[in-house]
Amino acid sequence: MKSSFYNTPGKHSGLLAWVLSTDHKRIGLLYLSCMTVFFLTGMTLGLLMRLELIAPGRTLMAASTYNALFTLHGVIMIFLFIIPGIPAALGNFMLPLQIGAQDVSFPRLNLLSWWFYITGAAVAITSLFTGGGAPDTGWTFYVPYSIRTGTNVSLAVFGVFLMGISSTLTGLNFVTTIHRLRAPGMSWFRMPLFVWSIYATGWVQLLATPVIAITLLMLMAERFFGVGFFDPAKGGDPILFEHLFWIYSHPAVYIMILPAMGAVSEIIPVFARRTIFGYKAIAFSSLGIALFGYLVWGHHMFTSGMSDEARMIFSLLTFLVAVPSGIKVFNWVASMYKGSIRLDTPFLYVMAFIFLFSIGGLTGLVQGALATNVHVHGTYFIVAHFHYVMFGGTAFAFFASLHYWFPKMSGRMYHEGRARVAALVLFVGFNTLYFPMFILGWQGMPRRYYDYLPQYQTGHVIATIGSWVLATGILLMVYNLLRSLKDGEKAGDNPWGGTTLEWKTTSPPPAENFEKIPEVTTGPYNYK
Amino acid sequence: MHGWTNLSSSVDSVFLFIMGISLVLLVGVTGAMVYFAVRYRRSKHPHAENIEGNLALEIVWTVIPTLLVLAIFWVGWKGFVYMRTVPQDAMLVKVTARMWSWRFTYENGATSEVLKVPVNQPVKLAITSSDVLHSLSIPAFRVKEDAVPGRENYLWFQPELTGSYDLFCTEYCGMGHSAMVTKVEVMSEQDFNAWYRGATGKASDGRSGPDGVKLFADKGCSACHSIDGSPKVGPTLKGVSGHRVTVLTGGKEREITATDAYLRKSLVDPQADVVKGFPPIMPSQKGVLKDAEIDALVEYMKGLH
């Protein structure tokens, strides 16, 4: 067997060879394995919530348990899975390969970022079992409730704070790497679009994440010392917290979706055997989204009591940020035109992504428009919308790229038949679970409700059944990938016929990535 | 199902406008994608054409969506301006949200836990909270606004059909969030006036003192406390009075007798002695209930055997 990074001896052996490694590929896989565990945990919490909601009233748990469950489901899925998500796991592994570098700019900082991440995760999970019990505030930690509640909010918030440091450092590392370590001849417009998206994401991580760090520190100061930043009785303002929270958390939405868009832009040309349509439009729209994404946080607060002028301006800017996302979708579909398309699993997930992300994006228009926002605000319509964008969008793109890069990372192919079945089950389960929520939301069903009025039961029952189908699909997918690690066929260096640099080295790559750093003479998707 | 208020149909028409545009875009994008995937599959189309882009197309699909979203912004904004412009003759009702019930206070001092309004009369709700964030939502009326402690938000509507409608809290507010549900009663003008004249600040049903039974239901107590011996969010109130209770005082366990003084203290300073096994989440009723009302509730609890 050729020498790969798996069997290159380092300073340490065993588990230490992983948790003390500065190799970007090992760090990427560390993130990936942790995230898989967290994702399955979050999924289990979601299943329990759906089971509770199969009928009105108490089904299997108390209200306080349910409230802790949806808080944990949100915290785990957002801070432990989807924000680190594609950049930290797949970006870490693929970014240096795609730009023809031996590693990231700051390999030790990269390892430190993982340690911040896993420590933050451990602290957040410890918060469940210590102090006043599992936090019950929702992942948004809105004041004054998060100040008054006796549950263990402080520790959970501190965990999130640590994960924020991890995210900031990763952004810094990737931006620097892209500036400094591109292979000879790789000009900006010869970079793969995944690299463009990681670049735009890196800036958002670097500039927006400190805001949440400060906000969470203020929240802790309020809880421990009663400082009065947010308590109206002391001259503070709860709406200030909402502003600060969303100044980070809205750009964070783009931290979640931009790398997914980048992955989709990678996969389409490979399976359509042709160059991407509108390379520059897609690259610039990533930057446009990152830039405009900073300016729309107020649309989370259209019923908060913020001034009507602010509501108008945020609504207008929200509609403008929709345009670059639309441009991407049109260019992706145009990239299939007159291609030579193979419907392998990564491409199937990409098609599902485009459909589900479009539904998520278009229903966002209902929420961006002020008159209709008021009605759907805080209802299941929102729950459906962000699951379509974050799960149907980001997670489906994550699954697509997991299958796409699986042979490169493991040196083996996954079982194609099982993978397609899993993709189909996932797609059907997803829509059965989340589509009814749009209808429930329009009918007024509020989110974060442990109990509900009987008129909403039909939608809840359908959604709960969908959750079982969806979980089956996820388990089948995970099983297939894990099993293929052991008994998948050996993959060649370039099983898909890709043209980007990661396919020009062995599968799995050697410790230093390339025998000889390649020289770049063309754009990334050169199929001529 | 339509025309519950002046706002229902205008909000719904904005919704249908957006849905129309969205459906055309979704069907177009998905249709093209599936058509290309079938038409250009590798077995039928082995050689791809490398089309790098088309400036005219890029301009078309930048400009047209921009115009569409600006149009959507505009109708959304126009509809919203109407929702924010309260008519001069609107009847004012003050709303106080608290964990986990609603109180509606009318201009003559009458209070109610159910929002009673006359049909065909503009109503302005001035909304605040006495503890954490809440949000007042009446789905049928298409209105919603947050209740924020320390400030007063507003919304208005004009009901057009008599009947009973759901009113929800839609901002998460803790344990009893999903129980923070009440009704809007849209009444004929005569019915409303009859109720309004009878209800004054002092007594809600014309008797001399406040009524414990009614207070217990109206003030949201029953959301957390049962009277049949079963524990809910809080301990049951059945047979409490005069019996021994194990409480946590400043984290220390002790056993006390539930005297009248203890019951009164549990209402105004509930965190002082928390019944063992229950979370310390009871909101203080200090300033919320009048002294006479507290007396009535204590009397009521004493009668629960």
Side-chain angles (χ1 to χ4, degrees), chain A residues 67 136 273-275 278 303-305 308 311 331 338-342 371 374-375 377 448-449 451 455, chain B residues 15 40-42 45-46 48-52 58 76 84 139 144-146 151 153 166 169 172 174 177-178:
Chain A
N67 295 343
D136 66 337
R273 262 307 173 278
R274 50 154 289 176
T275 191
T303 65
S304 67
D308 291 349
R311 297 185 210 202
N331 278 293
K338 293 199 172 170
S340 176
I341 296 171
R342 260 184 68 168
V374 170
H375 178 52
H377 202 104
R448 295 174 168 177
Y449 260 33
D451 192 7
Q455 69 257 34
Chain B
F15 179 73
Y40 301 115
R41 64 191 184 277
R42 196 158 297 170
H45 197 252
E49 262 180 59
N50 275 289
I51 305 163
E52 297 207 332
E58 296 285 355
R84 303 299 291 171
K144 180 178 293 131
E145 189 77 6
D146 289 4
R151 62 179 292 143
N153 289 338
D166 297 320
C169 174
Y172 175 69
H177 175 49
S178 64

Side-chain angles (χ1 to χ4, degrees), chain B residues 86 90-94 122-126 152 154-157:
Chain B
V86 187
M91 179 179 96
L92 179 71
V93 182
K94 294 201 170 202
V123 178
K124 177 184 177 179
L125 302 185
E152 196 175 271
Y154 72 92
L155 60 82
W156 80 278
F157 55 82

Side-chain angles (χ1 to χ4, degrees), chain B:
Chain B
M1 290 269 285
H2 286 280
W4 290 298
T5 62
N6 59 324
L7 302 172
S8 309
S9 51
S10 77
V11 169
D12 289 2
S13 61
V14 175
F15 179 73
L16 290 176
F17 175 70
I18 301 173
M19 275 296 135
I21 292 174
S22 299
L23 265 181
V24 171
L25 286 170
L26 181 67
V27 169
V29 163
T30 311
M33 176 175 77
V34 171
Y35 174 74
F36 292 162
V38 174
R39 170 80 176 74
Y40 301 115
R41 64 191 184 277
R42 196 158 297 170
S43 54
K44 288 277 175 256
H45 197 252
H47 298 291
E49 262 180 59
N50 275 289
I51 305 163
E52 297 207 332
N54 181 323
L55 185 64
L57 262 179
E58 296 285 355
I59 292 173
V60 166
W61 66 44
T62 306
V63 171
I64 292 180
T66 306
L67 294 176
L68 283 177
V69 295
L70 287 176
I72 295 173
F73 161 74
W74 183 252
V75 295
W77 165 241
K78 291 305 279 182
F80 185 67
V81 168
Y82 176 61
M83 295 167 88
R84 303 299 291 171
T85 313
V86 187
Q88 294 287 327
D89 60 339
M91 179 179 96
L92 179 71
V93 182
K94 294 201 170 202
V95 184
T96 309
R98 69 214 140 130
M99 297 155 101
W100 293 280
S101 60
W102 301 94
R103 187 173 45 168
F104 303 98
T105 309
Y106 294 79
E107 281 175 297
N108 69 348
T111 64
S112 171
E113 308 289 307
V114 169
L115 177 57
K116 295 173 194 267
V117 289
V119 72
N120 292 325
Q121 156 74 38
V123 178
K124 177 184 177 179
L125 302 185
I127 306 162
T128 190
S129 163
S130 61
D131 40 45
V132 301
L133 295 181
H134 302 278
S135 190
L136 186 149
S137 164
I138 310 169
F141 293 2
R142 308 288 188 254
V143 295
K144 180 178 293 131
E145 189 77 6
D146 289 4
V148 182
R151 62 179 292 143
E152 196 175 271
N153 289 338
Y154 72 92
L155 60 82
W156 80 278
F157 55 82
Q158 180 170 325
E160 289 177 344
L161 280 173
T162 56
S164 176
Y165 305 92
D166 297 320
L167 187 154
F168 296 125
C169 174
T170 52
E171 185 65 69
Y172 175 69
C173 55
M175 183 92 73
H177 175 49
S178 64
M180 200 166 153
V181 174
T182 184
K183 292 279 180 192
V184 186
E185 303 286 351
V186 179
M187 309 158 97
S188 70
E189 209 180 326
Q190 296 100 311
D191 288 354
F192 178 79
N193 286 339
W195 171 80
Y196 191 70
R197 273 194 299 271
T200 64
K202 282 197 179 126
S204 42
D205 60 356
R207 288 197 337 208
S208 55
D211 173 2
V213 182
K214 195 164 172 351
L215 283 168
F216 185 75
D218 287 353
K219 298 293 177 184
C221 316
S222 54
C224 302
H225 299 283
S226 78
I227 53 170
D228 62 2
S230 60
K232 291 170 89 173
V233 173
T236 185
L237 301 177
K238 185 184 181 186
V240 169
S241 174
H243 284 75
R244 304 288 283 172
V245 191
T246 309
V247 295
L248 293 170
T249 307
K252 284 213 183 76
E253 216 172 283
R254 64 187 184 119
E255 202 170 285
I256 56 168
T257 303
T259 56
D260 290 4
Y262 164 77
L263 293 175
R264 184 168 286 114
K265 193 176 171 196
S266 301
L267 282 164
V268 294
D269 187 9
Q271 313 299 332
D273 307 296
V274 180
V275 178
K276 193 187 167 199
F278 292 93
I281 51 169
M282 162 101 181
S284 168
Q285 304 301 311
K286 200 173 178 177
V288 176
L289 296 177
K290 299 179 188 71
D291 281 347
E293 291 176 323
I294 291 175
D295 292 340
L297 277 169
V298 170
E299 281 305 313
Y300 171 69
M301 283 187 271
K302 284 163 77 176
L304 296 171
H305 297 300

Side-chain angles (χ1 to χ4, degrees), chain A residues 239 243 295-302 304-318 368 370, chain B residues 73 77 80:
Chain A
I239 299 205
H243 277 292
L295 307 175
V296 300
W297 78 84
H299 68 217
H300 295 269
M301 303 164 56
F302 281 160
S304 67
M306 184 171 65
S307 76
D308 291 349
E309 290 78 5
R311 297 185 210 202
M312 177 187 79
I313 292 163
F314 279 122
S315 171
L316 180 61
L317 290 169
T318 298
L370 286 165
Chain B
F73 161 74
W77 165 241
F80 185 67

Side-chain angles (χ1 to χ4, degrees), chain A residues 453-464:
Chain A
L453 298 181
Q455 69 257 34
Y456 298 118
Q457 193 176 1
T458 310
H460 278 295
V461 170
I462 296 172
T464 301

